[in-house]
Amino acid sequence: DIVMTQSPDSLAVSLGERATINCRSSQSVLYSPNNKNYLAWYQQKPGQPPKLLIYWASTRESGVPDRFSGSGSATDFTLTISSLQAEDVAVYFCQQYSSAPLTFGGGTNVEIK
Amino acid sequence: QLQLQESGPGLVKPSETLSLTCTVSGGSINTDSSYWGWIRQSPGKGLEWIGSIYYTGSAYYNPSLRSRVTISVDTSKNQFSLNLNSVTAADTAMFYCARLCNTGTGGRGNPDCWGQGTLVTVSS
């Protein structure tokens, strides 16, 4: 199984400041024939299911604000919230879909400082 | 607008079978571009993919659960279902059904539309 490791576990950021979440996979999730990274990011608020933010490592899902961006390749990835808003308080997960079984990171809890 | 809704018992006894159904509305389950999957979330194990199914009935399971899991699809009702047998307290979790997009072989994809989830507790 591909193990997804997120850091940090928890993050406190001031409103309007940048939040950066890291995700590392134990194997590359880059598929060379199409040069795509099979990596997605999700946001989960209390009492709600996860919401897809980013797929193919850097493609924003429709309707997701452009303050959310994804970057990285192969085994190292980053989710950046460029200017944290109050409604961004949530837990964020990465997920690989490069190989079965699908696996998720342990989550990063983002709070307001 | 696609919606998914889980249904089933919220309490299951140890050693029995957990059965859940996901009803899809606002779209057809008969689509070439998606898998339909089950994912569970517990404080101890985080988010765990249980398995995925294609509308044709081809199913793919997490090896860690394969011996106990069956996922089936009923296209006439636009539903798919999960059976997990021989449950223990370790199977207590929030269970989500989801549509998987950007799919690859073997049931792979990323869930882009989720049900609200249903909490299943295993207890006598």
Side-chain angles (χ1 to χ4, degrees):
Chain A
D1 298 6
I2 296 179
V3 177
M4 307 301 290
T5 303
Q6 286 184 235
S7 62
D9 292 336
S10 188
L11 183 61
V13 175
S14 300
L15 288 172
E17 295 300 305
R18 179 186 298 261
T20 301
I21 300 167
N22 300 302
C23 175
R24 175 166 288 176
S25 57
S26 61
Q27 302 171 38
S28 175
V29 299
L30 172 63
Y31 185 55
S32 299
N34 61 11
N35 200 36
K36 287 188 173 183
N37 287 283
Y38 286 61
L39 188 286
W41 288 97
Y42 299 84
Q43 175 194 66
Q44 187 176 30
K45 297 180 180 180
Q48 296 184 18
K51 173 189 173 184
L52 178 64
L53 297 176
I54 303 279
Y55 56 96
W56 300 133
S58 61
T59 302
R60 255 189 315 273
E61 175 73 334
S62 174
V64 173
D66 61 7
R67 64 180 179 272
F68 291 92
S69 63
S71 63
S73 186
T75 61
D76 288 281
F77 300 90
T78 300
L79 175 70
T80 301
I81 309 172
S82 61
S83 176
L84 191 75
Q85 304 300 303
E87 61 265 33
D88 301 335
V89 170
V91 179
Y92 293 83
F93 297 94
C94 58
Q95 178 236 339
Q96 67 80 21
Y97 47 110
S98 172
S99 68
L102 311 179
T103 49
F104 294 83
T108 295
N109 186 38
V110 174
E111 303 173 324
I112 305 294
K113 185 187 291 183
Chain B
Q1 180 186 352
L2 190 75
Q3 292 187 320
L4 292 84
Q5 179 67 57
E6 305 87 353
S7 58
L11 181 64
V12 181
K13 290 182 168 54
S15 80
E16 295 191 345
T17 297
L18 180 161
S19 295
L20 297 175
T21 295
C22 182
T23 300
V24 179
S25 59
S28 175
I29 209 167
N30 290 339
T31 172
D32 289 340
S33 59
S34 302
Y35 287 113
W36 304 92
W38 289 96
I39 296 155
R40 68 180 181 179
Q41 185 173 29
S42 60
K45 287 191 172 184
L47 286 160
E48 182 179 29
W49 173 70
I50 299 169
S52 307
I53 193 163
Y54 199 50
Y55 75 94
T56 57
S58 295
Y60 308 89
Y61 304 122
N62 192 322
S64 68
L65 296 168
R66 180 175 288 137
S67 63
R68 299 195 291 131
V69 173
T70 303
I71 298 176
S72 58
V73 63
D74 186 337
T75 56
S76 67
K77 295 182 178 178
N78 229 32
Q79 294 176 335
F80 60 105
S81 298
L82 168 70
N83 278 353
L84 179 65
N85 61 37
S86 305
V87 297
T88 69
D91 294 309
T92 294
M94 182 71 78
F95 284 76
Y96 296 101
C97 61
R99 179 182 70 178
L100 278 69
C101 62
N102 298 317
T103 56
T105 57
R108 296 179 292 120
N110 59 266
D112 70 332
C113 187
W114 300 63
Q116 281 300 114
T118 186
L119 179 62
V120 179
T121 301
V122 179
S123 175
S124 55

